[in-house]
């Protein structure tokens, strides 16, 4: 059995959209992109130590996969984050059978995404970790497929935007298993789903 964890950067008001740059995801007219960038230098060492240092495979929505694929292969593997992301197997949830998966190794997931993800979890292998992919996360939440939430909350309020826990999310309770903070005010919380 494999577990599935979500790694997410969110604002204090719960927005996860476009943390690194304004161009990352302006969908829906979102103009607040790049809210996390001033904090990266201090936050990323903690993110790597707490959530990215152990082997894992990646599960992406197509748009997040494309954004990562345009950046991380161009970063040398001497960077530990790049090495981990470039080396992990990528599973990509997409409806398009024609969409090229150029950043590999990669496997397309389509059709019954919840069923295919449940099948991945039932198999052998390392942790499956979701980065970004707000729409995919809503599907995983609806089908209770997330075992752990690795959340970094930034001291920023942006108003509207895509949220980690969007409207209509199924109610439930979580158990805090680890927490920490950085000197620049970003708070790390790791929660597990209660059985």
């Amino acid at each position: 059995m494999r577990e599935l964890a979500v790694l997410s950067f969110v604002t204090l008001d719960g927005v996860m959209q476009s943390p690194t740059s304004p161009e990352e995801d302006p969908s829906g007219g979102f103009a607040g992109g790049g809210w996390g960038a001033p904090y990266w230098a201090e936050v990323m060492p903690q993110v790597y130590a707490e959530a990215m240092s152990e082997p894992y495979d990646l599960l992406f929505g197509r748009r997040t996969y494309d954004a990562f694929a345009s950046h991380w292969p161009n970063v040398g593997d001497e960077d530990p984050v790049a090495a981990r992301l470039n080396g992990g197997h990528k599973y990509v949830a997409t409806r398009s059978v024609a969409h090229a998966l150029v950043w590999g190794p990669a496997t397309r997931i389509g059709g019954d995404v919840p069923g295919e993800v449940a099948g991945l979890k039932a198999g052998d292998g390392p942790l499956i970790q979701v980065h970004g992919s707000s729409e995919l996360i809503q599907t995983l939440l609806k089908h209770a497929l997330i075992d752990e939430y690795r959340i970094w909350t930034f001291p920023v309020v942006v108003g509207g935007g895509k949220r980690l826990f969007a409207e209509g999310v199924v109610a439930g309770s979580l158990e805090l298993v680890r927490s920490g903070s950085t000197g620049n005010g970003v708070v790390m919380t790791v929660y597990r789903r209660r059985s």
Side-chain angles (χ1 to χ4, degrees):
M1 291 289 292
R2 307 168 75 178
E3 291 202 336
L4 188 146
V6 166
L7 187 157
S8 190
F9 304 125
V10 299
T11 62
L12 193 58
D13 56 337
V15 173
M16 64 179 292
Q17 186 171 355
S18 199
T20 57
S21 72
E23 302 82 28
E24 184 181 356
D25 180 6
S27 64
F30 184 66
W35 49 263
Y39 301 88
W40 288 138
E42 195 167 332
V43 170
M44 288 313 293
Q46 185 188 65
V47 172
Y48 183 77
E50 295 289 342
M52 297 179 76
S53 59
E54 298 295 322
Y56 57 89
D57 287 341
L58 294 148
L59 174 60
F60 291 113
R62 185 193 50 80
R63 284 189 294 267
T64 302
Y65 169 82
D66 287 346
F68 276 54
S70 70
H71 174 73
W72 288 107
N74 303 315
V75 178
D77 281 350
E78 62 277 356
D79 178 297
V81 174
R84 184 65 70 206
L85 292 172
N86 290 330
H89 194 98
K90 294 94 176 149
Y91 295 95
V92 184
T94 178
R95 293 178 196 94
S96 171
V97 294
H99 190 78
L101 301 180
V102 296
W103 181 41
T107 302
R108 182 182 321 277
I109 293 177
D112 178 16
V113 171
E116 290 190 50
V117 171
L120 285 174
K121 289 183 64 178
D124 293 327
L127 173 77
I128 302 165
Q129 191 157 251
V130 179
H131 294 215
S133 308
S134 62
E135 291 178 31
L136 174 61
I137 288 173
Q138 303 316 304
T139 299
L140 299 173
L141 283 165
K142 180 180 178 183
H143 294 276
L145 290 167
I146 301 170
D147 300 296
E148 187 168 277
Y149 300 83
R150 300 167 172 193
I151 303 169
W152 275 262
T153 305
F154 289 65
V156 176
V157 175
V158 296
K162 296 177 183 176
R163 299 187 183 280
L164 175 59
F165 298 102
E167 188 174 328
V169 70
V170 177
S173 62
L174 304 171
E175 175 186 0
L176 178 67
V177 294
R178 204 162 61 253
S179 64
S181 62
T182 62
N184 61 8
V186 177
V187 176
M188 174 196 76
T189 48
V190 178
Y191 294 98
R192 291 193 60 80
R193 184 175 51 136
R194 291 189 190 272
S195 302

